[in-house]
Amino acid sequence: SAPPPASPTHKTMAWSPDASKVAYSMTGGFEVFVPGAGPNAEPLVFTISEAPIRQMAWSDDGRWLLLWREDNSTVIYESTPDVTLWVGLGDIIGYVWLRDGRLAFAPAEGGLALLDPADLESRVFMVSQDRTVSLPGQRPDGSLVFFVHQGSIDQPGTLHVGDPDDLSFHQESSVQV
């Protein structure tokens, strides 16, 4: 199959934040290239079979690689430097890696979840699953921003701001976007 078209919604190559490794999609999956990690300082290359990929993104520490597939399903791989499938998160609407290592993501069935991939029991919902959330992001001050929609993702949403530490949030704007 052909690679996905280049667009802002398709991020099919991702450097880890410390630039110690790069992941890139290819026909039939993806590869992780780790320069100088082999026994004689040669690069290590891990080739993984995977469904077509929409986006890929590393956690800040470079340990976790999130793959958002074309079918909207999402998985997290661990790279230490071996690359192994860690967990599936189901279908999502959006995500952001937080600077503290957690993942904030909006499951397609609703809500805004926070997860520390090292502790799969840590998953908590900042926004309940009866509300549709999109476009999560993190501001420089550490707060989370996201849109909450009335009904489906196709309806306009209002901007909300939350604290990922105490899980509180409030509506910041009444303008529907």
Side-chain angles (χ1 to χ4, degrees), residues 7 13 15 17 19 28 54 66 107 144 147 154 156 165 170 174:
S7 77
M13 185 176 104
W15 280 96
R54 169 191 295 189
L66 177 135
L144 277 175
F147 286 87
D154 299 325
D165 294 326
H170 65 276
S174 60

Side-chain angles (χ1 to χ4, degrees), residues 30 48-51 53 55-57 64-69 71-78 84-92 97 103 115:
F30 70 101
I48 311 293
S49 294
E50 191 42 91
I53 298 165
Q55 291 185 18
M56 46 183 33
W64 308 104
L65 178 64
L66 177 135
L67 294 185
W68 190 4
R69 299 172 177 143
D71 68 3
N72 281 336
S73 66
T74 307
V75 292
I76 296 176
Y77 281 82
E78 185 177 28
T84 54
L85 180 61
W86 185 250
V87 67
L89 299 177
D91 291 359
I92 67 167
W97 281 108
L103 177 70
L115 173 71

Side-chain angles (χ1 to χ4, degrees), residues 20-107:
S20 67
K21 48 192 152 188
V22 64
Y24 46 89
S25 66
M26 48 188 253
T27 302
F30 70 101
E31 287 187 340
V32 174
F33 181 85
V34 188
N40 296 312
E42 72 273 5
L44 293 177
V45 179
F46 300 94
T47 303
I48 311 293
S49 294
E50 191 42 91
I53 298 165
R54 169 191 295 189
Q55 291 185 18
M56 46 183 33
W58 290 99
S59 60
D60 273 7
D61 65 2
R63 178 178 175 189
W64 308 104
L65 178 64
L66 177 135
L67 294 185
W68 190 4
R69 299 172 177 143
E70 285 290 331
D71 68 3
N72 281 336
S73 66
T74 307
V75 292
I76 296 176
Y77 281 82
E78 185 177 28
S79 174
T80 59
D82 292 354
V83 180
T84 54
L85 180 61
W86 185 250
V87 67
L89 299 177
D91 291 359
I92 67 167
I93 296 171
Y95 69 91
V96 63
W97 281 108
L98 304 181
R99 288 185 294 280
D100 67 8
R102 290 181 294 167
L103 177 70
F105 64 100

Side-chain angles (χ1 to χ4, degrees), residues 93-94 106 108 132-135 147-157 177:
I93 296 171
T132 303
V133 174
S134 70
L135 299 173
F147 286 87
V148 175
H149 302 264
Q150 297 299 324
S152 76
I153 191 74
D154 299 325
Q155 299 299 313
V177 180

